[in-house]
Amino acid sequence: MSSLNTEKWNRILVRFLLAFSFWEAVSIPLRMLFFAKFYFDPTLKSMFVPITDVFWLGPVFSDLTFTLAFGFLYALMKESLPQGLVGGFLVGILVSIIGFVSPMLWTLSLTNFAPTVLIWVWVAYYSLFTISTAVIYSVGWKEEE
């Protein structure tokens, strides 16, 4: 594993800006699309706040932190990961399974803190986020040694 030199930092930051800006452009419509059904459900009305009352720094900071951390991890593990578009999809799917699907299966088997459908929609939303971020980080990253 090599150290993070200036060229790697530039690659990380460019891909970070691409992934973050892409996801922020897509995330608000996706949130509305994925969670609109639950927003109008009278039994779940207390879990959701109106869109005008959302403190948007929270979701944006969460997306920023995840995208940047994923970029650092991807840069450090780049040599051992598959290359290109297929590699990005594979890494994104595996990280989604490890980071979202497995913990939710475990949590839902122990507790019933939220409706199961809501949890799986949340998992699908963040899995799309992870897969798109992994694809953006994996495409076109060639190093000249």
Side-chain angles (χ1 to χ4, degrees), residues 94 96-109 120 123:
L94 290 175
S96 295
I97 290 171
I98 293 167
F100 303 117
V101 176
S102 299
M104 283 303 127
L105 280 173
W106 182 75
T107 304
L108 287 174
S109 69
W120 288 117
V123 167

Side-chain angles (χ1 to χ4, degrees), residues 11 13 30 36 47 72 79 89 92 96 125 127 132 134-135 143:
R11 290 171 194 248
L13 292 176
L30 271 181
M47 289 180 74
F72 288 144
E79 291 84 25
F89 277 116
S96 295
Y125 172 79
S127 294
S132 65
V135 165
E143 293 197 42

Side-chain angles (χ1 to χ4, degrees), residues 28-100:
I28 293 174
L30 271 181
R31 282 183 183 117
M32 287 185 213
L33 176 69
F34 277 29
F35 297 104
K37 173 186 173 192
F38 304 108
Y39 179 73
F40 294 109
D41 187 356
T43 59
L44 302 174
K45 195 71 168 169
S46 64
M47 289 180 74
F48 295 97
V49 296
I51 197 164
T52 56
D53 294 342
V54 173
F55 188 60
W56 284 104
L57 286 179
V60 170
F61 184 72
S62 169
D63 295 347
L64 179 104
T65 305
F66 177 82
T67 308
L68 193 59
F70 193 79
F72 288 144
L73 289 174
Y74 197 88
L76 291 174
M77 299 182 306
K78 179 71 181 113
E79 291 84 25
S80 60
L81 296 176
Q83 301 283 325
L85 189 63
V86 174
F89 277 116
L90 181 63
V91 168
I93 290 169
L94 290 175
V95 169
S96 295
I97 290 171
I98 293 167
F100 303 117

Side-chain angles (χ1 to χ4, degrees), residues 101-145:
V101 176
S102 299
M104 283 303 127
L105 280 173
W106 182 75
T107 304
L108 287 174
S109 69
L110 295 177
T111 65
N112 193 13
F113 68 95
T116 305
V117 176
L118 178 63
I119 296 300
W120 288 117
V121 168
W122 179 84
V123 167
Y125 172 79
Y126 275 102
S127 294
L128 284 174
F129 180 27
T130 305
I131 292 168
S132 65
T133 303
V135 165
I136 290 170
Y137 277 118
S138 68
V139 172
W141 190 322
K142 298 209 189 285
E143 293 197 42
E144 290 118 22
E145 308 266 345

